[in-house]
Amino acid sequence: MMPTSYEDGHISVSGAGGGSMPGKKPENTAFKQQRLPAWQPVLTAGTVLPAFFIIGLIFIPIGIGLYVTSMNIKEFQIDYTGVDMSSPCYNCSQNFSWNSSRPCACSLPFYLDQPYDSNVFMYYGLSNFYQNHRRYVKSRDDSQLNGNQESLKDPSKECEPYAWSSSKPIAPCGAIANSMFNDTLELFYNDPNGSKVQIPLTATGIAWWTDKHVKFRNPGGNENLPAAFQGTTKPVNWHWPVYELDSDPENNGFINEDFIVWMRTAALPTFRKLYRIIQRKNNMVPTLPRGNYTLEVVYNYPVRSFDGRKRVILSTISWMGGKNPFLGIAYITVGSVCFLLGVVLLIIHHKYGSRNNIAT
Amino acid sequence: MLSRPSLLLCEKKKEERKVKANDREYNEKFQYASNCIMTSKYNMLTFLPVNLFEQFQEVANTYFLFLLILQLIPQISSLSWFTTIVPLALVLSITAVKDATDDYFRHRSDNQVNNHQSQVLIRGSLQKERWMNVRVGDIIKLENNQSVVADLLLLSSSEPHGLCYIETAELDGETNVKVRQSVSVPAELGDPNNLATFNGEVVCEPPNNKLDRFCGTLYWRDKKYPLTNQNMLLRGCVLRNTEACYGLVIFAGPDTKLMQNSGRTKFKRTSIDRLMNTLVLWIFGFLVCMGVILAVGNAVWEKEVGSLFQSYLPWDPPVDNFLFSAFLSFWSYVIILNTVVPISLYVSVEVIRLGHSYFINWDRQMFCSQCNTAAEARTTTLNEELGQVEYVFSDKTGTLTQNIMSFNKCSINGQAYGKGTSREKNTLDFTPFNPLANPDFCFYDEKLLESVKVGDWHSHEYFRLLSLCHTVMSEEKSEGELVYKAQSPDEGALVKAARNFGFVFRSRTPGTITTTELGRTVTYSLLAILDFNNIRKRMSVIVRNPAGRIRLYCKGADTVLLERLHPCNQELMTITSDHLNEYAADGLRTLALAYRDVSEEEWEVWSESHRSADKAVDCREDRLAAAYDKIEQDMMLLGATAIEDKLQEGVSETIALLSLANIKVWVLTGDKQETAVNIGYSCKMLTDDMMEVFTISGRTVQSVRQELGSASFPGNGFREGQEGDGVAGDDQLQGSPCPLPPTYLMDNISGEFGLIINGHSLAHALEADMEVEFVSTACACKAVICCRVTPLQKAQVVELIKKHKKAVTLAIGDGANDVSMIKSAHIGVGISGQEGIQAVLASDYSFAQFRFLQRLLLVHGRWSYLRMCRFLCYFFYKNFAFTMVHFWFGFFCGFSAQTVYDQFFITLYNIVYTSLPVLAMGIFDQDVPDHRSLECPKLYEPGQLNLLFNKKEFFICIAQGIYTSVVLFFMPYAVLSNATQSTGVPLADYQTFAATTATALVIVVSVQIALDTGFWTVINHVFVWGSLGLYFTIMLALHSQTLFRIFPKQFHFVGCAQSTLLQPVVWLTIALATAICIVPVLAFRFLKLDLKPQLSDTVRTHLRKPAESRLGARGGSRSGYAFAHQEGFGELITSGKNMRLSSLGLASFASRHSSSWIETLRRKNTPPKEPCSSFL
């Protein structure tokens, strides 16, 4: 890289002297003489084999613990895309397009075969939806979302082609905001006595604290949002402007949690996002008792065009989050492999290695 | 390096240069360069543009600039501009700072030089003038011990005959004093007043770099005076023994011969460098392949999925079809995958090499206290090649030998004196006999002193000759305190010998020589010096003694001198020849001495012919030689001298050690065959055990071919193989590297043979049709000595080996004649602190003693190689692990060139998070301590065989890196895709995924460097733990609210660090990924170490457990597989009796593989503190 600078390092022609100057005797420091005290680890059987066994012995119990925890988590998924003719949402999925103003509703019955005890988390899941596409990911204006007035009126170029609509700035701008998930999902418990009880869903507490309180802010505070968004227009796919997302002023505009959740883009094309929380009411009754339920869907969000899928997931949660059997299995596998490897290496070492290395 | 617009102008305009003395207006017309020299490249204003321009001539820098431009295109830009510009700026500024520092020092030294004061004759008076203000045509006054300002034409001198003496050490490296003579006629211009009116005009050749040539004419008062180099004082010389002199400036500043000679030296690259460049090219190819694969993927995706997805994500305006999108995607991926060739690679390599160079400079064990010189790494780019040397080409004089000559034996009139340097005998004490004797002088035969004392005529004449026939200068500071300055150490030794035997050379003037002969001062008038040159190989003086008798004294090489003797010397000649042969066999340097009486008439005639020859304009040299030849006839033999050429300390041990390390040492010397062979024996290169020592000294092509052919090795099957090689022709030798590792061949056939080749035979052997045969024969020999070789041939031999053996060569020498060899070898080493500095200036490394070579190669070189290899392996690994994650992610993000990591992480990964630990390893790592690598020279072999970093190792690193990237992507993928926080919020959002992968990556590569580091100094600890700490600190800072509030667009990862790092699942994922990445490596390394340990591993393991020697004694069945290389070496080292290999047969055990030499040692009951056995 830097040959030019070394090329002429050879001859110093300027003036008397030059060449090999008689030098001072170099200092006798441990650093200069390369004698710094040092720890010199060697991979001997005495250190490596125990390491394998220890890794094995640590990983296997962790794996078992994780697996058991994961198994105790209850999870229920239902696909409501309506691909099948038999699906209740088939009609909605066939008819619907973004421009349609008439909402299409469908309801899916399902049965939970065990009661869900603690808080239940309700997710919507999308498949084949590329929230991680580069052009999609960058199509937002964090400055605008943070309540910056200039960005509100003049969205970033990154938002193109969703920055301006009929010569008004779009708020919130960009492809992410524009494609916000807008199905409405409601859950009803079909009481054995025949009545249909709506299950109360909590719409707050579903976003990151920093997103809600730092990253997303409404321009000019949370009061009088219509005025604050004066001069902007709604994203083209939206039915309502951003300040009509919710009636609660603490959950409206840019700080609407559904919006925030959507704006936190997923890493993979199949993802789930937290939609609602079903709070546990008291300790006596399960949050969701065993029985029949109906999922009422207002079908607004078209995914059929790109072969997408929509799901609803109900899940309980443990200390390690939702159901995740992979982690436990992976730990058990890696632990076992380490242990086995330890045994194999020990055998190899005893059979072949010892004559080379008595020092173990 | 130099800006010489004026020179170019001048060369274009005319072929000759006209200079008129004392006429600035006239000279200004020609726009000659002023005497201001400028070695600096930049000034304040030009620094930035010029330096940047230079830096962007580097391919790597331009490449990154190109990437930067790509990144500015919004449709392509997959990374923010700062991910490239920050590292690029860092690299550029590091280089710029270095360049600026260098240039600052150049400026400073330029200023210092330019502001020296000199005395210039202006309008009749001497004025002080700065060097830079001296102009061509000025007349300058120089005083004793002053440096010459510019290239001057000597006009007058304070010394008689217009002579003046100069030392040219800075110019050609020779420290002896040379004589210059002023132009013959203006000698009357003695005083400044006359000079002030001097208006001669010089017409001469344009500036050139030939130090020994000058031709021009002085026109003055309608007369022409020829000018030669003899009249010139060149810049850089120092005036000696001369009170003052005046000179006319002919060439100034950049036109001077000194500056014309300071051209750029050839830039050397190491084989690792070349390999690295190849690999970088491959990686570029790989990068393009990846880009193409991903672009194809993009095309497919955009066609199949993206076009349908348009309702959510329309194509960017210029993109209207999937093919165009794929095209853009290719460039986007080139940008994000470019980190496989990180810009910091080259800088890091330079930093590591610089560190190694400093360690060489700081090494006290390579410091010579006698000459107060430390080793110096003059080139900082070659260090790791020191660990791969296979051939060492050594000069003899001054390198193997001390270049200290001692008058050891002599033969006077058929009588041999001197008993060598046995230690039992007392040296002769001259002081009672001769108060002027030099106490350092040692001689061991009192008979000679007796014969001088009794007044033996021959002895007297013998020493008289030695005191008269030489070119030594004397300096007598106080009475009796004589200092001789000799052109060659031989001559000094002879004059010193004469001095001790009572014939003291006291002083000389151009016309006289004053001696003290046995206490009586005698002044001879010196009539002529018939100087020495390489063709004549003799020198003579013609003197007239106070009695008026004229006598010629001649000394010279026996071959030439014995031919010129008077026939009556036949008998004496036979005896003396016997003595000479005896001396030569002892490795002494011999000269024959003779005299001749010259009659007055004969002198008159001869001096006339001499004078006319001297004045001749053309063929002066030849005519002078003919004139000399005429008088050097019919001489009477006096005797012969024998001078011992003392070996340097530790030479034979070093050579033995190097050959145990499988390094071939070739001696290339200008000396004659006998001397060279003898040095070969005395430094144990040649041994009596050798099966045969071939001598090739034929003068014709046929005879050389025949001799080479006869040097076949009957009965050991070597020849057949070699013949095949030779027939298979050049393409095999040149195209593919040797099919066998060189040692394989050597082990089978080497050890038993030596080869000595003469210069004139070498000339034939080096011709195209014979060189293959020569190389194969020579390389099959254990020792090769080339004698009587010219500097050019030295270089040719080096080139030959470079070409045919593909081996790393090292040339070591001390004199100007070694410069070509030093420059053409991969590594040039100069011996400093002795005969001048020319070799040192051309060298890459310099130190004071040959024996330091073992430490330079076996310790520093070995370490450097090891460190560089480990560094490169790790560096490629960590960047592949880092970058390939993007590739896998491409399959899940629609091939959109979305990065996995945060942009800041990409920016900082290579320059902050992972740079320091690997630098620390690259600078400080040691596998075995220095003394072990000297005790077990076999440890050097991996470097020669290129085992630690080659294409295979590279692919292993790459494979490991790719494996790591797979784990690092798919583990988080598998775990996080369905995982949620304990608050129920999914973990599979992009930012959490990015933070998890990045953290896992940093931890995995840190664990890997911890595994790779074998020598954990404090600095390693600080860097490894510090880098990890820094990663988390910077991550928390970048994800903090404060930064987000200021730049919401750039720092949109706000809160990600806290939210991610508090999740147990994330840590479980990281631990899992780390285990999966590291466990196979650990298992693999352990198996390798356990089943096939390298020698260094074994040494290291044993080193660690010195207490277990008892166990070792019990396990008698332990074969010490790794040690099974050379039996008997320990004895060699430990015996301490001067490496007496002849009985052991270094050669024979080199090829033996019987059992562990360590065991052999143990059987021989060597004390436990013996090196190399102590760790058993």
Side-chain angles (χ1 to χ4, degrees), chain B residues 915-926:
Chain B
S915 60
L916 292 179
V918 69
L919 273 185
M921 181 185 75
I923 294 175
F924 301 110
D925 211 38
Q926 299 180 8

Side-chain angles (χ1 to χ4, degrees), chain B residues 134 214-215 266 295 304 600 645 691 802 843 879 940 949 976 984 1009-1010 1059 1075 1097 1154 1172:
Chain B
V134 170
F214 176 80
C215 89
K266 205 165 76 182
E304 298 292 320
E600 198 69 46
D645 194 357
M691 208 180 266
K802 273 170 79 177
S843 68
N879 283 297
Y940 191 74
F949 189 74
L976 296 186
I1009 191 77
S1059 136
D1097 300 330
S1154 54
C1172 249

Side-chain angles (χ1 to χ4, degrees), chain B residues 890-914:
Chain B
F891 290 88
F892 297 89
C893 67
F895 304 94
S896 60
Q898 172 62 25
T899 57
V900 178
Y901 319 105
D902 180 10
Q903 315 251 320
F904 293 103
F905 180 77
I906 294 173
T907 315
L908 298 177
Y909 175 76
N910 261 318
I911 55 178
V912 178
Y913 300 147
T914 58

